[in-house]
Amino acid sequence: MTILEQIEQRSSALKVNELAEMLQVTPQHIYRMASSGLIPCFRIEGAIRLDPKEIANWLRSKQPQQFALDGCVRPERLALVGSHF
């Protein structure tokens, strides 16, 4: 199962630690991205939460386009590269 599939299957908001574990980055990295407005998030009484659908869309927008020989994008070949978003 891909990271995107894992995230999209979630029906409740993600916590910073959960997303950090999925993306294999530190929670501090997610907090920095959130405070800089680089990742979609919202706050509940100070706690940062992330909407799984928004995060999945955000991740898709960060993926490099990989094309087949005919120039068509093959979604099954799209993959996250690195932890620098």
Side-chain angles (χ1 to χ4, degrees):
M1 181 180 303
T2 69
I3 293 170
L4 283 172
E5 290 169 339
Q6 290 176 33
I7 292 171
E8 287 178 323
Q9 285 186 348
R10 291 288 303 250
S11 59
S12 61
L14 288 161
K15 295 178 182 177
V16 168
N17 289 341
E18 294 170 331
L19 183 62
E21 186 177 319
M22 288 179 184
L23 299 180
Q24 298 181 348
V25 298
T26 65
Q28 292 78 15
H29 187 76
I30 302 296
Y31 282 118
R32 279 193 301 272
M33 293 177 73
S35 68
S36 300
L38 297 174
I39 190 168
C41 64
F42 59 95
R43 290 183 181 267
I44 298 177
E45 294 195 19
I48 294 176
R49 295 293 182 259
L50 306 114
D51 181 290
K53 301 294 185 230
E54 287 185 23
I55 294 299
N57 290 335
W58 175 80
L59 285 171
R60 277 191 196 89
S61 75
K62 300 298 178 189
Q63 292 179 334
Q65 296 294 317
Q66 295 183 7
F67 294 93
L69 293 177
D70 61 0
C72 296
V73 174
R74 299 289 187 238
E76 67 275 8
R77 294 190 60 212
L78 294 177
L80 283 175
V81 289
S83 62
H84 304 285
F85 297 105

